[in-house]
Amino acid sequence: MQHFRRLVIAIATTAAALTAAPAANAASTPDTVAAKSTSAVVTLRYDDSQARGWEAAIAAGVASWNTNVDNVKLTKAQPGTRAEIQIVATSGWPQATIGPVRPGGRGRVELGSQAVSQGYDKTRIAAHEIGHNLGLPDTKPGPCSQLMSGSTGGVSCKNAVPNAAEQARVESYYANGVATRVPAAGQLVVDAP
């Protein structure tokens, strides 16, 4: 009789464990979804080691993009590691290649001092040029509220934040962890007025 009771208890314990298993899996589903969505974020590294004098503007421009979009994040490359976005200081007008830059790909941003000498805001320039690497073309002429209006926003324009439409376009380009839009091969956009 005691052997029978142990068998009944063992069967009941096994049944309870099997019943609880789906509930445990259901409880972990949101964690799994969160982990998948986190892993779907595209990370692009940038190298600004050749952009002396622009470090603060680049950091602010990167922070603007990282704050306003979720599907792609920009991070500074460690010295000696490969970066997808090369940022350099030049004496001419700002210019950049049109993206979207893909992981393992290559984009270039040239932060030209000629625009600064004419009164344009360094942080806006940096955020704007990075926007090109993320796949956005110029929207000239345009108001200051559009980051990609560039120089047509005027020298008094300090806006370095992409508007909702610009944010949505970048989000769509990097949806599901990939850069989906095929960029124009090596197209360089010069941002002179």
Side-chain angles (χ1 to χ4, degrees):
M1 184 73 160
Q2 190 156 0
H3 178 66
F4 179 73
R5 280 187 197 155
R6 278 190 241 158
L7 183 59
V8 169
I9 291 171
I11 290 172
T13 303
T14 302
L18 290 174
T19 304
N25 288 339
S28 68
T29 300
D31 294 336
T32 305
V33 170
K36 284 182 183 175
S37 67
T38 300
S39 67
V41 174
V42 173
T43 299
L44 298 174
R45 293 164 305 216
Y46 67 92
D47 176 3
D48 65 354
S49 63
Q50 296 177 37
R52 192 189 305 245
W54 286 84
E55 296 87 353
I58 294 166
V62 165
S64 178
W65 281 108
N66 284 344
T67 299
N68 289 290
V69 296
D70 296 319
N71 291 340
V72 62
K73 292 298 172 199
L74 303 166
T75 184
K76 191 168 184 169
Q78 295 300 314
T81 62
R82 188 179 188 286
E84 285 86 5
I85 299 173
Q86 187 71 40
I87 304 175
V88 299
T90 68
S91 59
W93 277 96
Q95 54 189 326
T97 52
I98 293 286
V101 173
R102 294 176 170 86
R106 202 50 131 177
R108 184 170 175 86
V109 167
E110 296 183 11
L111 300 174
S113 63
Q114 191 169 355
V116 177
S117 68
Q118 292 197 12
Y120 292 97
D121 182 69
K122 283 178 114 174
T123 300
R124 178 172 168 84
I125 293 168
H128 174 92
E129 299 306 327
I130 291 168
H132 285 315
N133 276 199
L134 297 178
L136 298 177
D138 282 325
T139 54
K140 293 180 179 182
C144 179
S145 60
Q146 292 176 342
L147 175 61
M148 299 313 292
S149 69
S151 61
T152 62
V155 293
S156 63
C157 180
K158 308 284 186 228
N159 174 39
V161 177
N163 68 18
E166 293 164 333
Q167 293 171 32
R169 285 181 76 176
V170 170
E171 294 285 43
S172 72
Y173 295 157
Y174 290 94
N176 303 313
V178 294
T180 56
R181 183 174 164 264
V182 176
Q187 182 180 358
L188 187 67
V189 176
V190 178
D191 286 306

